[in-house]
Tab-separated table of all heavy atoms in Angstrom:
chain	number	residue	atom	x	y	z
A	1	MET	N	32.101	-28.816	-7.820
A	1	MET	CA	31.806	-27.511	-8.341
A	1	MET	C	31.852	-27.567	-9.861
A	1	MET	O	32.827	-28.070	-10.413
A	1	MET	CB	32.781	-26.499	-7.760
A	1	MET	CG	34.138	-26.459	-8.431
A	1	MET	SD	35.244	-25.305	-7.682
A	1	MET	CE	36.384	-26.447	-6.957
A	2	PRO	N	30.833	-27.104	-10.553
A	2	PRO	CA	30.843	-27.131	-12.006
A	2	PRO	C	31.889	-26.160	-12.547
A	2	PRO	O	32.058	-25.066	-12.040
A	2	PRO	CB	29.433	-26.680	-12.394
A	2	PRO	CG	28.625	-26.850	-11.167
A	2	PRO	CD	29.564	-26.724	-10.010
A	3	SER	N	32.583	-26.603	-13.591
A	3	SER	CA	33.609	-25.778	-14.203
A	3	SER	C	33.213	-25.456	-15.635
A	3	SER	O	33.060	-26.363	-16.445
A	3	SER	CB	34.940	-26.540	-14.198
A	3	SER	OG	35.904	-25.847	-14.940
A	4	PRO	N	33.001	-24.175	-15.965
A	4	PRO	CA	32.622	-23.831	-17.337
A	4	PRO	C	33.813	-23.923	-18.260
A	4	PRO	O	34.898	-23.425	-17.955
A	4	PRO	CB	32.112	-22.400	-17.204
A	4	PRO	CG	32.844	-21.846	-16.039
A	4	PRO	CD	33.089	-23.016	-15.104
A	5	ASP	N	33.656	-24.602	-19.372
A	5	ASP	CA	34.694	-24.690	-20.394
A	5	ASP	C	33.982	-24.683	-21.736
A	5	ASP	O	33.160	-25.550	-22.014
A	5	ASP	CB	35.512	-25.969	-20.222
A	5	ASP	CG	36.758	-25.953	-21.075
A	5	ASP	OD1	36.661	-25.611	-22.274
A	5	ASP	OD2	37.833	-26.288	-20.579
A	6	ALA	N	34.277	-23.690	-22.576
A	6	ALA	CA	33.555	-23.516	-23.829
A	6	ALA	C	33.671	-24.752	-24.727
A	6	ALA	O	32.738	-25.095	-25.448
A	6	ALA	CB	34.080	-22.290	-24.551
A	7	ASP	N	34.807	-25.443	-24.699
A	7	ASP	CA	35.003	-26.614	-25.544
A	7	ASP	C	34.267	-27.837	-25.050
A	7	ASP	O	33.847	-28.673	-25.830
A	7	ASP	CB	36.492	-26.967	-25.634
A	7	ASP	CG	37.310	-25.856	-26.274
A	7	ASP	OD1	36.733	-25.011	-26.973
A	7	ASP	OD2	38.532	-25.856	-26.061
A	8	LEU	N	34.101	-27.941	-23.755
A	8	LEU	CA	33.561	-29.160	-23.150
A	8	LEU	C	32.108	-29.091	-22.742
A	8	LEU	O	31.445	-30.111	-22.669
A	8	LEU	CB	34.380	-29.523	-21.898
A	8	LEU	CG	35.812	-29.934	-22.113
A	8	LEU	CD1	36.481	-30.151	-20.771
A	8	LEU	CD2	35.885	-31.193	-22.944
A	9	GLY	N	31.623	-27.944	-22.424
A	9	GLY	CA	30.310	-27.851	-21.809
A	9	GLY	C	30.490	-27.923	-20.311
A	9	GLY	O	31.501	-27.469	-19.770
A	10	GLU	N	29.543	-28.555	-19.613
A	10	GLU	CA	29.610	-28.603	-18.158
A	10	GLU	C	30.490	-29.753	-17.677
A	10	GLU	O	30.348	-30.894	-18.120
A	10	GLU	CB	28.217	-28.750	-17.556
A	10	GLU	CG	28.191	-28.572	-16.070
A	10	GLU	CD	26.773	-28.595	-15.507
A	10	GLU	OE1	25.831	-28.849	-16.245
A	10	GLU	OE2	26.659	-28.359	-14.289
A	11	VAL	N	31.411	-29.424	-16.747
A	11	VAL	CA	32.336	-30.401	-16.180
A	11	VAL	C	32.286	-30.255	-14.661
A	11	VAL	O	32.331	-29.142	-14.141
A	11	VAL	CB	33.781	-30.153	-16.675
A	11	VAL	CG1	34.750	-31.110	-15.994
A	11	VAL	CG2	33.850	-30.298	-18.179
A	12	ILE	N	32.169	-31.372	-13.969
A	12	ILE	CA	32.189	-31.359	-12.504
A	12	ILE	C	33.601	-31.735	-12.052
A	12	ILE	O	34.150	-32.741	-12.489
A	12	ILE	CB	31.169	-32.358	-11.928
A	12	ILE	CG1	29.750	-31.938	-12.347
A	12	ILE	CG2	31.289	-32.409	-10.411
A	12	ILE	CD1	28.705	-32.951	-12.006
A	13	ILE	N	34.172	-30.916	-11.171
A	13	ILE	CA	35.514	-31.116	-10.638
A	13	ILE	C	35.405	-31.476	-9.161
A	13	ILE	O	34.707	-30.797	-8.411
A	13	ILE	CB	36.385	-29.853	-10.784
A	13	ILE	CG1	36.477	-29.417	-12.231
A	13	ILE	CG2	37.750	-30.050	-10.167
A	13	ILE	CD1	37.227	-30.359	-13.120
A	14	GLU	N	36.108	-32.533	-8.743
A	14	GLU	CA	36.126	-32.915	-7.338
A	14	GLU	C	37.583	-33.098	-6.902
A	14	GLU	O	38.353	-33.786	-7.578
A	14	GLU	CB	35.371	-34.220	-7.120
A	14	GLU	CG	35.414	-34.699	-5.686
A	14	GLU	CD	34.763	-36.058	-5.497
A	14	GLU	OE1	34.989	-36.955	-6.330
A	14	GLU	OE2	34.040	-36.216	-4.505
A	15	MET	N	37.933	-32.487	-5.785
A	15	MET	CA	39.281	-32.602	-5.223
A	15	MET	C	39.194	-33.403	-3.911
A	15	MET	O	38.376	-33.091	-3.052
A	15	MET	CB	39.864	-31.240	-4.921
A	15	MET	CG	39.987	-30.339	-6.097
A	15	MET	SD	41.458	-30.708	-7.036
A	15	MET	CE	41.498	-29.312	-8.130
A	16	THR	N	40.057	-34.408	-3.781
A	16	THR	CA	40.118	-35.224	-2.576
A	16	THR	C	41.555	-35.246	-2.084
A	16	THR	O	42.448	-35.656	-2.824
A	16	THR	CB	39.647	-36.665	-2.854
A	16	THR	OG1	38.365	-36.629	-3.453
A	16	THR	CG2	39.591	-37.470	-1.580
A	17	ARG	N	41.752	-34.819	-0.835
A	17	ARG	CA	43.109	-34.772	-0.279
A	17	ARG	C	43.390	-36.022	0.554
A	17	ARG	O	42.554	-36.482	1.326
A	17	ARG	CB	43.292	-33.546	0.591
A	17	ARG	CG	44.717	-33.390	1.068
A	17	ARG	CD	44.961	-32.102	1.731
A	17	ARG	NE	46.346	-32.072	2.156
A	17	ARG	CZ	47.028	-30.994	2.389
A	17	ARG	NH1	46.471	-29.830	2.245
A	17	ARG	NH2	48.277	-31.071	2.766
A	18	ASN	N	44.602	-36.565	0.380
A	18	ASN	CA	45.061	-37.696	1.162
A	18	ASN	C	46.509	-37.403	1.562
A	18	ASN	O	47.435	-37.680	0.808
A	18	ASN	CB	44.974	-38.987	0.349
A	18	ASN	CG	45.312	-40.210	1.163
A	18	ASN	OD1	45.536	-40.109	2.351
A	18	ASN	ND2	45.378	-41.355	0.515
A	19	GLY	N	46.666	-36.804	2.721
A	19	GLY	CA	47.999	-36.415	3.179
A	19	GLY	C	48.578	-35.353	2.260
A	19	GLY	O	47.937	-34.354	1.985
A	20	PRO	N	49.793	-35.573	1.772
A	20	PRO	CA	50.433	-34.585	0.911
A	20	PRO	C	49.978	-34.649	-0.542
A	20	PRO	O	50.435	-33.878	-1.371
A	20	PRO	CB	51.920	-34.925	1.028
A	20	PRO	CG	51.921	-36.393	1.263
A	20	PRO	CD	50.695	-36.668	2.115
A	21	TYR	N	49.066	-35.567	-0.854
A	21	TYR	CA	48.616	-35.770	-2.232
A	21	TYR	C	47.188	-35.305	-2.414
A	21	TYR	O	46.395	-35.258	-1.475
A	21	TYR	CB	48.715	-37.236	-2.623
A	21	TYR	CG	50.119	-37.752	-2.545
A	21	TYR	CD1	50.531	-38.537	-1.481
A	21	TYR	CD2	51.046	-37.431	-3.518
A	21	TYR	CE1	51.823	-38.993	-1.400
A	21	TYR	CE2	52.353	-37.873	-3.439
A	21	TYR	CZ	52.736	-38.654	-2.376
A	21	TYR	OH	54.030	-39.110	-2.285
A	22	LEU	N	46.857	-34.964	-3.672
A	22	LEU	CA	45.533	-34.513	-4.019
A	22	LEU	C	45.081	-35.285	-5.251
A	22	LEU	O	45.869	-35.485	-6.173
A	22	LEU	CB	45.568	-33.013	-4.329
A	22	LEU	CG	44.266	-32.253	-4.433
A	22	LEU	CD1	43.530	-32.288	-3.107
A	22	LEU	CD2	44.535	-30.818	-4.817
A	23	LYS	N	43.845	-35.746	-5.243
A	23	LYS	CA	43.261	-36.423	-6.407
A	23	LYS	C	42.218	-35.495	-6.972
A	23	LYS	O	41.305	-35.058	-6.259
A	23	LYS	CB	42.623	-37.751	-6.016
A	23	LYS	CG	41.951	-38.445	-7.190
A	23	LYS	CD	41.302	-39.740	-6.742
A	23	LYS	CE	40.621	-40.407	-7.927
A	23	LYS	NZ	39.905	-41.621	-7.498
A	24	CYS	N	42.330	-35.172	-8.256
A	24	CYS	CA	41.374	-34.328	-8.933
A	24	CYS	C	40.605	-35.185	-9.937
A	24	CYS	O	41.208	-35.753	-10.851
A	24	CYS	CB	42.082	-33.178	-9.645
A	24	CYS	SG	40.943	-32.108	-10.542
A	25	SER	N	39.297	-35.279	-9.755
A	25	SER	CA	38.448	-36.024	-10.685
A	25	SER	C	37.647	-35.014	-11.490
A	25	SER	O	37.137	-34.033	-10.946
A	25	SER	CB	37.501	-36.940	-9.933
A	25	SER	OG	38.216	-37.893	-9.203
A	26	ALA	N	37.511	-35.274	-12.793
A	26	ALA	CA	36.730	-34.425	-13.683
A	26	ALA	C	35.710	-35.303	-14.399
A	26	ALA	O	36.086	-36.320	-14.989
A	26	ALA	CB	37.640	-33.719	-14.691
A	27	VAL	N	34.441	-34.922	-14.340
A	27	VAL	CA	33.362	-35.683	-14.960
A	27	VAL	C	32.678	-34.801	-15.996
A	27	VAL	O	32.239	-33.695	-15.689
A	27	VAL	CB	32.329	-36.154	-13.921
A	27	VAL	CG1	31.217	-36.948	-14.584
A	27	VAL	CG2	32.991	-36.946	-12.823
A	28	HIS	N	32.588	-35.297	-17.223
A	28	HIS	CA	31.863	-34.606	-18.281
A	28	HIS	C	30.389	-34.940	-18.100
A	28	HIS	O	29.981	-36.091	-18.208
A	28	HIS	CB	32.379	-35.065	-19.659
A	28	HIS	CG	31.830	-34.284	-20.780
A	28	HIS	ND1	30.985	-34.841	-21.710
A	28	HIS	CD2	31.987	-32.995	-21.124
A	28	HIS	CE1	30.654	-33.924	-22.591
A	28	HIS	NE2	31.252	-32.788	-22.256
A	29	VAL	N	29.584	-33.930	-17.833
A	29	VAL	CA	28.178	-34.138	-17.461
A	29	VAL	C	27.388	-34.774	-18.596
A	29	VAL	O	26.605	-35.688	-18.377
A	29	VAL	CB	27.525	-32.804	-17.012
A	29	VAL	CG1	26.046	-32.975	-16.788
A	29	VAL	CG2	28.206	-32.306	-15.741
A	30	ALA	N	27.593	-34.332	-19.834
A	30	ALA	CA	26.798	-34.819	-20.959
A	30	ALA	C	27.028	-36.293	-21.260
A	30	ALA	O	26.108	-36.996	-21.653
A	30	ALA	CB	27.086	-33.980	-22.198
A	31	THR	N	28.268	-36.783	-21.061
A	31	THR	CA	28.588	-38.165	-21.422
A	31	THR	C	28.831	-39.075	-20.222
A	31	THR	O	28.780	-40.291	-20.355
A	31	THR	CB	29.853	-38.215	-22.306
A	31	THR	OG1	30.942	-37.676	-21.566
A	31	THR	CG2	29.656	-37.454	-23.591
A	32	GLY	N	29.128	-38.495	-19.068
A	32	GLY	CA	29.427	-39.298	-17.892
A	32	GLY	C	30.855	-39.834	-17.849
A	32	GLY	O	31.206	-40.584	-16.966
A	33	ILE	N	31.696	-39.408	-18.796
A	33	ILE	CA	33.088	-39.843	-18.798
A	33	ILE	C	33.831	-39.162	-17.663
A	33	ILE	O	33.711	-37.954	-17.446
A	33	ILE	CB	33.752	-39.541	-20.158
A	33	ILE	CG1	33.101	-40.382	-21.248
A	33	ILE	CG2	35.262	-39.782	-20.104
A	33	ILE	CD1	33.600	-40.092	-22.641
A	34	GLU	N	34.612	-39.959	-16.930
A	34	GLU	CA	35.353	-39.454	-15.768
A	34	GLU	C	36.824	-39.790	-15.894
A	34	GLU	O	37.188	-40.893	-16.317
A	34	GLU	CB	34.810	-40.083	-14.484
A	34	GLU	CG	35.527	-39.625	-13.240
A	34	GLU	CD	34.948	-40.208	-11.959
A	34	GLU	OE1	33.909	-40.876	-12.030
A	34	GLU	OE2	35.560	-39.985	-10.899
A	35	VAL	N	37.661	-38.821	-15.558
A	35	VAL	CA	39.112	-39.036	-15.506
A	35	VAL	C	39.599	-38.468	-14.177
A	35	VAL	O	38.901	-37.692	-13.528
A	35	VAL	CB	39.859	-38.337	-16.673
A	35	VAL	CG1	39.427	-38.901	-17.999
A	35	VAL	CG2	39.666	-36.842	-16.636
A	36	SER	N	40.808	-38.873	-13.780
A	36	SER	CA	41.384	-38.324	-12.554
A	36	SER	C	42.881	-38.137	-12.733
A	36	SER	O	43.501	-38.754	-13.584
A	36	SER	CB	41.088	-39.236	-11.360
A	36	SER	OG	41.669	-40.486	-11.560
A	37	ALA	N	43.414	-37.269	-11.894
A	37	ALA	CA	44.850	-36.987	-11.887
A	37	ALA	C	45.299	-36.884	-10.430
A	37	ALA	O	44.559	-36.398	-9.580
A	37	ALA	CB	45.145	-35.698	-12.633
A	38	LEU	N	46.502	-37.349	-10.148
A	38	LEU	CA	47.071	-37.300	-8.811
A	38	LEU	C	48.303	-36.399	-8.822
A	38	LEU	O	49.051	-36.387	-9.789
A	38	LEU	CB	47.484	-38.687	-8.338
A	38	LEU	CG	46.365	-39.703	-8.211
A	38	LEU	CD1	46.937	-41.086	-7.925
A	38	LEU	CD2	45.413	-39.305	-7.130
A	39	GLY	N	48.495	-35.680	-7.717
A	39	GLY	CA	49.663	-34.826	-7.626
A	39	GLY	C	49.788	-34.217	-6.246
A	39	GLY	O	49.037	-34.557	-5.334
A	40	PRO	N	50.734	-33.295	-6.095
A	40	PRO	CA	50.957	-32.671	-4.790
A	40	PRO	C	49.787	-31.762	-4.400
A	40	PRO	O	49.223	-31.068	-5.249
A	40	PRO	CB	52.247	-31.876	-4.985
A	40	PRO	CG	52.342	-31.658	-6.444
A	40	PRO	CD	51.662	-32.821	-7.096
A	41	ALA	N	49.435	-31.770	-3.135
A	41	ALA	CA	48.328	-30.964	-2.638
A	41	ALA	C	48.605	-29.468	-2.745
A	41	ALA	O	47.673	-28.668	-2.730
A	41	ALA	CB	48.021	-31.342	-1.196
A	42	ALA	N	49.850	-29.089	-2.874
A	42	ALA	CA	50.210	-27.681	-2.952
A	42	ALA	C	49.872	-27.062	-4.310
A	42	ALA	O	49.928	-25.841	-4.450
A	42	ALA	CB	51.698	-27.511	-2.677
A	43	GLU	N	49.508	-27.873	-5.315
A	43	GLU	CA	49.259	-27.363	-6.668
A	43	GLU	C	47.876	-27.740	-7.197
A	43	GLU	O	47.757	-28.416	-8.221
A	43	GLU	CB	50.336	-27.898	-7.621
A	43	GLU	CG	51.734	-27.475	-7.297
A	43	GLU	CD	51.958	-25.997	-7.514
A	43	GLU	OE1	51.232	-25.396	-8.332
A	43	GLU	OE2	52.853	-25.447	-6.866
A	44	PRO	N	46.781	-27.316	-6.540
A	44	PRO	CA	45.452	-27.745	-6.979
A	44	PRO	C	45.064	-27.233	-8.364
A	44	PRO	O	44.415	-27.951	-9.141
A	44	PRO	CB	44.533	-27.205	-5.904
A	44	PRO	CG	45.275	-26.108	-5.257
A	44	PRO	CD	46.721	-26.465	-5.365
A	45	LYS	N	45.419	-26.008	-8.717
A	45	LYS	CA	45.044	-25.461	-10.032
A	45	LYS	C	45.767	-26.188	-11.168
A	45	LYS	O	45.190	-26.461	-12.213
A	45	LYS	CB	45.329	-23.950	-10.103
A	45	LYS	CG	44.344	-23.140	-9.335
A	45	LYS	CD	42.961	-23.295	-9.924
A	45	LYS	CE	41.954	-22.436	-9.207
A	45	LYS	NZ	40.607	-22.633	-9.688
A	46	ALA	N	47.034	-26.527	-10.947
A	46	ALA	CA	47.781	-27.273	-11.958
A	46	ALA	C	47.184	-28.662	-12.140
A	46	ALA	O	47.054	-29.166	-13.266
A	46	ALA	CB	49.249	-27.380	-11.560
A	47	LEU	N	46.788	-29.278	-11.058
A	47	LEU	CA	46.174	-30.599	-11.122
A	47	LEU	C	44.823	-30.539	-11.845
A	47	LEU	O	44.488	-31.438	-12.606
A	47	LEU	CB	46.001	-31.122	-9.689
A	47	LEU	CG	45.900	-32.623	-9.509
A	47	LEU	CD1	47.036	-33.338	-10.203
A	47	LEU	CD2	45.869	-32.968	-8.051
A	48	GLU	N	44.078	-29.482	-11.620
A	48	GLU	CA	42.799	-29.304	-12.322
A	48	GLU	C	43.031	-29.162	-13.827
A	48	GLU	O	42.306	-29.752	-14.637
A	48	GLU	CB	42.058	-28.097	-11.784
A	48	GLU	CG	40.700	-27.893	-12.408
A	48	GLU	CD	39.923	-26.742	-11.805
A	48	GLU	OE1	40.228	-26.316	-10.683
A	48	GLU	OE2	38.982	-26.283	-12.472
A	49	ARG	N	44.058	-28.406	-14.226
A	49	ARG	CA	44.366	-28.261	-15.658
A	49	ARG	C	44.734	-29.597	-16.279
A	49	ARG	O	44.340	-29.907	-17.401
A	49	ARG	CB	45.513	-27.257	-15.846
A	49	ARG	CG	45.095	-25.827	-15.663
A	49	ARG	CD	46.161	-24.852	-16.163
A	49	ARG	NE	47.454	-25.066	-15.521
A	49	ARG	CZ	47.848	-24.457	-14.398
A	49	ARG	NH1	47.042	-23.614	-13.803
A	49	ARG	NH2	49.036	-24.683	-13.894
A	50	ILE	N	45.481	-30.433	-15.547
A	50	ILE	CA	45.859	-31.747	-16.047
A	50	ILE	C	44.623	-32.630	-16.221
A	50	ILE	O	44.467	-33.307	-17.232
A	50	ILE	CB	46.875	-32.421	-15.097
A	50	ILE	CG1	48.211	-31.673	-15.160
A	50	ILE	CG2	47.061	-33.885	-15.452
A	50	ILE	CD1	49.192	-32.076	-14.069
A	51	ALA	N	43.722	-32.609	-15.236
A	51	ALA	CA	42.516	-33.409	-15.314
A	51	ALA	C	41.634	-32.969	-16.496
A	51	ALA	O	41.090	-33.813	-17.221
A	51	ALA	CB	41.731	-33.330	-14.013
A	52	ILE	N	41.514	-31.680	-16.732
A	52	ILE	CA	40.727	-31.162	-17.864
A	52	ILE	C	41.357	-31.597	-19.178
A	52	ILE	O	40.668	-32.018	-20.108
A	52	ILE	CB	40.600	-29.633	-17.797
A	52	ILE	CG1	39.776	-29.224	-16.576
A	52	ILE	CG2	39.984	-29.076	-19.072
A	52	ILE	CD1	38.327	-29.602	-16.622
A	53	ALA	N	42.682	-31.543	-19.265
A	53	ALA	CA	43.372	-31.968	-20.490
A	53	ALA	C	43.155	-33.464	-20.727
A	53	ALA	O	42.921	-33.893	-21.866
A	53	ALA	CB	44.868	-31.657	-20.392
A	54	LYS	N	43.214	-34.268	-19.661
A	54	LYS	CA	42.957	-35.705	-19.790
A	54	LYS	C	41.519	-35.964	-20.237
A	54	LYS	O	41.257	-36.841	-21.052
A	54	LYS	CB	43.226	-36.426	-18.459
A	54	LYS	CG	44.675	-36.612	-18.139
A	54	LYS	CD	44.869	-37.324	-16.827
A	54	LYS	CE	44.539	-38.796	-16.942
A	54	LYS	NZ	44.908	-39.548	-15.706
A	55	LEU	N	40.592	-35.176	-19.718
A	55	LEU	CA	39.192	-35.332	-20.107
A	55	LEU	C	39.003	-35.013	-21.590
A	55	LEU	O	38.298	-35.723	-22.301
A	55	LEU	CB	38.306	-34.441	-19.237
A	55	LEU	CG	36.813	-34.563	-19.468
A	55	LEU	CD1	36.318	-35.976	-19.239
A	55	LEU	CD2	36.069	-33.582	-18.564
A	56	LYS	N	39.636	-33.952	-22.059
A	56	LYS	CA	39.549	-33.593	-23.474
A	56	LYS	C	40.078	-34.732	-24.352
A	56	LYS	O	39.482	-35.072	-25.370
A	56	LYS	CB	40.314	-32.299	-23.764
A	56	LYS	CG	39.609	-31.070	-23.232
A	56	LYS	CD	40.419	-29.819	-23.543
A	56	LYS	CE	39.734	-28.582	-23.004
A	56	LYS	NZ	40.514	-27.364	-23.277
A	57	ARG	N	41.236	-35.323	-23.949
A	57	ARG	CA	41.767	-36.448	-24.718
A	57	ARG	C	40.845	-37.648	-24.703
A	57	ARG	O	40.671	-38.326	-25.704
A	57	ARG	CB	43.146	-36.840	-24.174
A	57	ARG	CG	44.274	-36.067	-24.843
A	57	ARG	CD	45.604	-36.526	-24.345
A	57	ARG	NE	45.824	-35.791	-23.092
A	57	ARG	CZ	46.374	-36.276	-22.003
A	57	ARG	NH1	46.811	-37.491	-21.984
A	57	ARG	NH2	46.522	-35.538	-20.933
A	58	ALA	N	40.245	-37.914	-23.540
A	58	ALA	CA	39.334	-39.061	-23.430
A	58	ALA	C	38.106	-38.857	-24.329
A	58	ALA	O	37.623	-39.806	-24.936
A	58	ALA	CB	38.905	-39.249	-21.968
A	59	LEU	N	37.629	-37.633	-24.412
A	59	LEU	CA	36.469	-37.359	-25.254
A	59	LEU	C	36.809	-37.462	-26.734
A	59	LEU	O	35.985	-37.887	-27.546
A	59	LEU	CB	35.883	-35.988	-24.932
A	59	LEU	CG	35.192	-35.882	-23.584
A	59	LEU	CD1	34.875	-34.429	-23.241
A	59	LEU	CD2	33.924	-36.729	-23.566
A	60	LEU	N	38.021	-37.077	-27.096
A	60	LEU	CA	38.451	-37.161	-28.505
A	60	LEU	C	38.627	-38.615	-28.938
A	60	LEU	O	38.361	-38.950	-30.099
A	60	LEU	CB	39.757	-36.393	-28.732
A	60	LEU	CG	39.630	-34.876	-28.750
A	60	LEU	CD1	41.018	-34.244	-28.870
A	60	LEU	CD2	38.747	-34.426	-29.882
A	61	SER	N	39.067	-39.472	-28.039
A	61	SER	CA	39.318	-40.864	-28.403
A	61	SER	C	38.027	-41.702	-28.340
A	61	SER	O	38.043	-42.864	-28.708
A	61	SER	CB	40.348	-41.478	-27.458
A	61	SER	OG	39.834	-41.582	-26.156
A	62	ARG	N	36.962	-41.112	-27.932
A	62	ARG	CA	35.690	-41.806	-27.817
A	62	ARG	C	35.057	-42.025	-29.142
A	62	ARG	O	35.009	-41.443	-30.082
A	62	ARG	CB	34.769	-41.004	-26.896
A	62	ARG	CG	33.464	-41.636	-26.660
A	62	ARG	CD	32.729	-40.839	-25.591
A	62	ARG	NE	31.499	-41.510	-25.290
A	62	ARG	CZ	30.310	-41.112	-25.726
A	62	ARG	NH1	30.212	-40.024	-26.441
A	62	ARG	NH2	29.238	-41.772	-25.441
């Protein structure tokens, strides 16, 4: 599902559940840079915020 973020542009977010864990992947559409974060399945919004923050850092270090 695309996630609108004024600072980033278009970002695709994917959530994959594996038992009690959730993997959140965030892909910056314009550059193709992808990051992921792992955490408890009970906190998907927090995990999405972490993945977006990691993506912002990855784009700044590019």
Side-chain angles (χ1 to χ4, degrees):
M1 80 182 110
S3 172
D5 192 314
D7 297 340
L8 293 176
E10 190 174 6
V11 175
I12 298 172
I13 302 292
E14 177 185 43
M15 300 278 191
T16 306
R17 186 171 179 157
N18 186 4
Y21 300 103
L22 193 62
K23 177 182 180 183
C24 179
S25 298
V27 181
H28 187 247
V29 173
T31 61
I33 294 176
E34 179 177 354
V35 298
S36 62
L38 298 172
E43 297 292 335
K45 286 297 183 184
L47 203 51
E48 183 176 340
R49 285 193 304 270
I50 291 169
I52 294 292
K54 284 180 74 172
L55 184 59
K56 287 180 181 179
R57 271 183 276 141
L59 290 169
L60 285 175
S61 67
R62 182 172 184 257

